[in-house]
Amino acid sequence: MATLRMLWMELVLLGVLGVLQTQAQVSVQPDFQQDKFLGRWFSAGLASNSSWFREKKSMLSMCKSVLTPTADGGLNLTSTFLRKNQCETRIMLLQPTGSPGFYRYLSPHSGSTHLVSVVETNYREYALLFTQGAQGPGQDFHMATLYSRTQTPRAELKEKFATFCQARGFTEDAIVFLPRNDKCLKEEE
Ligand SMILES: *[C@@H]1O[C@H](CO)[C@@H](O)[C@H](O)[C@H]1NC(C)=O
Ligand SMILES: *[C@@H]1O[C@H](CO)[C@@H](O)[C@H](O)[C@H]1NC(C)=O
C-alpha cells in the first residue's frame, strides 16, 4: 500500500513538474489583464514551422478575431476569414490554465491540444502570441501571431514581430505579413 502511494505521489509530482516546464518555456505578459485584452483584433502577421503553413502561406489573408470571455474564465475566439472567396466564421474556445495569459485549446477536429500564450501586449495596439502543439497529431509545430487593433499596423510593429519570431527560431521565410482582404474585414463590425 505504501509503495503504491509512493508511486502515485511520484506521478503527481512528475505531472506538476511537466506543467511547470511547459510554462517556463514561454513567457507571458506580466500582470496580464484579460478584460483589457478582449474585443476585436486583426491577425496581421503569422509565422509557423508546420508543413500546412509552408504550403498555404501565400494564400492566407488577414482575419478578424473577436475575443469575449467564457463562463469558465477562458476566451471565446470568433474569427472571420476568407476561404474559397467566401467569408467564414470559426469559433475557438480557449480554456484557462490557471496562469493568466496562458490558455489551452483542444481541437475538436484533430483531437490535438495547443497551448497559447500572450507573450506581450499593450492591449490598445498590439499583441504577440505564441502557440505550440502539446499533444496529438501535429504536436510538434510552433506558431507566432501578431495581433493588431487596426488593419494597418505601424512599420515598427512589423519590425517588432519579425524580431520576436527570429528570437523563437523561425526562419525569415516562415514569417508572413498577411494582406488585407476587404471582403471580410468591415471595420465597423
Ligand atoms: C462564442 O461567440 C460567438 C460570437 O459572439 C457566439 O455566437 C457563440 O455562441 C459563443 N460560444 C460560446 C460557447 O461562448
Ligand atoms: C518546429 O520547431 C520546434 C522548435 O524548434 C521543433 O521542436 C519542431 O519539431 C518543429 N516542427 C516542425 C514540423 O518542423
Side-chain angles (χ1 to χ4, degrees):
M1 201 57 204
T3 335
L4 255 183
R5 192 173 299 155
M6 278 296 287
L7 186 64
W8 182 80
M9 271 299 293
E10 266 173 23
L11 288 176
V12 169
L13 284 173
L14 269 178
V16 170
L17 285 177
V19 169
L20 287 179
Q21 272 166 6
T22 312
Q23 295 186 355
Q25 281 172 10
V26 262
S27 53
V28 170
Q29 170 65 42
D31 189 29
F32 177 76
Q33 291 164 276
Q34 181 172 284
D35 55 332
K36 288 168 75 179
F37 185 58
L38 301 175
R40 190 188 59 193
W41 290 100
F42 296 99
S43 59
L46 213 53
S48 177
N49 68 350
S50 72
S51 47
W52 173 86
F53 180 77
R54 234 171 287 146
E55 275 170 39
K56 304 273 186 201
K57 65 177 183 188
S58 60
M59 293 150 70
L60 300 173
S61 59
M62 193 178 282
C63 81
K64 181 178 80 175
S65 295
V66 177
L67 293 171
T68 52
T70 52
D72 65 359
L75 291 172
N76 174 337
L77 170 63
T78 300
S79 301
T80 312
F81 56 93
L82 188 72
R83 185 158 171 257
K84 293 185 179 140
N85 216 32
Q86 291 207 306
C87 295
E88 283 192 18
T89 297
R90 182 165 155 205
I91 298 171
M92 291 170 75
L93 298 174
L94 306 184
Q95 304 167 348
T97 59
S99 291
F102 191 57
Y103 302 90
R104 189 185 298 109
Y105 171 69
L106 301 165
S107 166
H109 307 289
S110 66
S112 55
T113 301
H114 303 165
L115 297 173
V116 183
S117 36
V118 184
V119 179
E120 191 182 314
T121 183
N122 65 358
Y123 305 103
R124 60 182 164 72
E125 188 189 15
Y126 76 94
L128 303 174
L129 275 68
F130 189 71
T131 304
Q132 49 187 152
Q135 226 169 43
Q139 60 175 335
D140 58 353
F141 87 102
H142 281 186
M143 183 170 82
T145 314
L146 169 65
Y147 267 8
S148 168
R149 288 290 190 190
T150 71
Q151 294 175 31
T152 48
R154 289 184 297 127
E156 291 88 339
L157 212 52
K158 292 182 170 182
E159 200 71 22
K160 193 182 189 58
F161 180 63
T163 307
F164 173 74
C165 292
Q166 277 150 17
R168 274 153 193 81
F170 293 106
T171 51
E172 206 147 316
D173 66 320
I175 306 170
V176 290
F177 292 99
L178 301 171
R180 287 172 62 175
N181 185 294
D182 292 333
K183 193 168 177 173
C184 308
L185 292 180
K186 290 179 219 94
E187 280 271 14
E188 63 279 7
E189 273 173 25

